[in-house]
Amino acid sequence: MKDTACIMVLLCVPFYTYCGGSECPLELNPPSIVVKYGDPVSVNCTVTAEAYGIGWEASEGGTGIVEGVKSVIWKVENLTDYETRPLCFGNFNSRQCNKPLDVVLYHYPDQVSIWAQDHQSPMIEWTEYRLVCNVSNVAPINLLTLKWYKGHVEVQNVTFNDTRKTLASELSVLPITPTRADDGVEYRCDAVLDLGPEGPQPPVAVHSKPFNITVHYSPNIIQNQSHGTEEGGDALFNCTATGNPVPTIEWKYKPADNVRINTSGAVSLLTISAVTADQDRMFTCVATNSQGGMSVDFLLAVKAKSTGAGMVVGVIIAVVLLALFIGLGVVFYRRRR
């Protein structure tokens, strides 16, 4: 009597009640699916034992109970319900059982974007900043990984424990402390949905637009600190500076008519024509920008100029000394005789 009542209830209300403890004789093909939002889906449910009827219970594409068949298909032309959990059920001799279909309905991000939090370009060297990656409208969030790249190198990745199946948006923050070597460096954020072996392979990554940073830093002068030349010759000093913004170059020296300066950007050439003996001194190059300054001293070493007259005098002195030596030798020789 108890079994009869149970059968009557199950025939009238085809839901999820179990009246027996044996394995449910239903097979799903495929047993689980990964579907892109809005795509069609089709799954076949087959009975492996005699059944009064089988069917699908679902928020979309439900069939109700169908009698006299061995299989029934759950089919949806455009799957859009993130919470859907279809059940294939069957009414058997003394019980009803069901098998749920595992559905992963995914949605790639509408947008992935990067910005600098509470800051506008340019950045200042050795100052900490926070880059923010925003991912809009993605599902499911627990299968999302955000990967940060500096150039071609991955510097951070973030996963989420959020169990929501519906569309969600997430943020990831990357702290950075830029140096002058980072001026012009490109950052990128990738949103990767890893849907497992049943999803697209390799997993699809949605990229942000490149985010290039500009770093301002103080000047540095490439040093060439000394130069030697003979009096009357020419000398050239090259003061080349790096820095952002481009440094302004200034020379400090005792003014002279034979000194010329030619500056282009952060490269400045100081030329001294026909160097004089009193120009044996320092010439100082100063580079400055909004981040600071640097100076370098360039030493000019002037050598005395050797002349033809000096050589003649030297020869005459040598001849005189030689003659004197010979004369003394003759006198000494005669006295001994």
Side-chain angles (χ1 to χ4, degrees):
M1 185 70 181
K2 182 178 179 181
D3 289 343
T4 304
C6 184
I7 293 171
M8 291 176 63
V9 171
L10 292 173
L11 289 173
C12 297
V13 186
F15 290 100
Y16 318 138
T17 307
Y18 284 83
C19 293
S22 61
E23 184 179 350
C24 186
L26 295 172
E27 290 183 353
L28 303 182
N29 185 23
S32 61
I33 56 170
V34 175
V35 187
K36 186 177 181 181
Y37 181 86
D39 278 2
V41 61
S42 176
V43 177
N44 189 32
C45 179
T46 304
V47 292
T48 58
E50 289 295 327
Y52 294 106
I54 60 173
W56 283 94
E57 184 72 22
S59 59
E60 296 181 79
T63 64
I65 191 166
V66 181
E67 297 179 353
V69 295
K70 293 291 186 180
S71 65
V72 64
I73 296 176
W74 176 62
K75 186 175 182 180
V76 179
E77 293 297 331
N78 305 100
L79 188 60
T80 57
D81 183 4
Y82 289 101
E83 302 287 353
T84 190
R85 187 171 173 79
L87 287 167
C88 179
F89 63 89
N91 288 337
F92 300 94
N93 184 36
S94 60
R95 64 189 178 114
Q96 183 188 70
C97 67
N98 64 71
K99 279 198 174 180
L101 175 67
D102 184 16
V103 179
V104 175
L105 183 60
Y106 68 93
H107 188 286
Y108 290 125
D110 287 338
Q111 185 178 28
V112 181
S113 57
I114 300 178
W115 71 86
Q117 190 177 60
D118 303 325
H119 177 74
Q120 293 183 353
S121 190
M123 297 179 176
I124 307 302
E125 186 178 32
W126 301 117
T127 302
E128 183 173 301
Y129 299 95
R130 292 158 64 88
L131 300 183
V132 180
C133 176
N134 179 55
V135 181
S136 302
N137 296 330
V138 61
I141 200 73
N142 67 311
L143 298 181
L144 175 69
T145 299
L146 294 186
K147 296 184 177 184
W148 282 96
Y149 289 88
K150 179 181 178 181
H152 298 292
V153 179
E154 182 180 333
V155 292
Q156 179 175 291
N157 70 73
V158 182
T159 57
F160 303 92
N161 295 322
D162 196 325
T163 57
R164 284 177 294 173
K165 293 184 177 181
T166 55
L167 288 179
S169 298
E170 284 291 350
L171 297 175
S172 172
V173 177
L174 178 70
I176 64 170
T177 304
T179 67
R180 61 190 60 204
D182 297 321
D183 185 35
V185 161
E186 176 185 293
Y187 283 89
R188 191 181 82 244
C189 180
D190 286 359
V192 182
L193 268 183
D194 190 348
L195 301 164
E198 296 175 333
Q201 296 298 324
V204 174
V206 179
H207 310 291
S208 69
K209 290 183 179 179
F211 185 86
N212 294 87
I213 64 171
T214 300
V215 182
H216 278 188
Y217 52 93
S218 60
N220 181 59
I221 295 175
I222 301 172
Q223 300 182 19
N224 179 14
Q225 294 181 319
S226 62
H227 186 83
T229 188
E230 191 176 73
E231 183 181 357
D234 296 337
L236 173 67
F237 290 123
N238 181 340
C239 180
T240 299
T242 59
N244 195 13
V246 176
T248 299
I249 305 294
E250 179 186 3
W251 288 93
K252 295 184 178 180
Y253 61 96
K254 183 178 180 180
D257 291 339
N258 62 340
V259 177
R260 296 287 183 270
I261 294 174
N262 183 15
T263 301
S264 176
V267 178
S268 184
L269 302 179
L270 184 146
T271 305
I272 309 167
S273 303
V275 173
T276 60
D278 63 349
Q279 289 180 312
D280 192 288
R281 61 171 66 92
M282 294 288 188
F283 292 78
T284 301
C285 177
V286 181
T288 57
N289 66 9
S290 60
Q291 302 306 304
M294 180 181 182
S295 65
V296 169
D297 293 328
F298 292 80
L299 173 63
L300 177 62
V302 183
K303 302 175 184 177
K305 184 176 181 180
S306 48
T307 64
M311 292 180 64
V312 172
V313 171
V315 170
I316 293 173
I317 292 174
V319 170
V320 170
L321 290 175
L322 179 62
L324 180 61
F325 179 77
I326 293 172
L328 289 174
V330 170
V331 171
F332 179 76
Y333 175 76
R334 285 179 176 178
R335 283 182 179 180
R336 293 193 63 180
R337 289 186 63 186

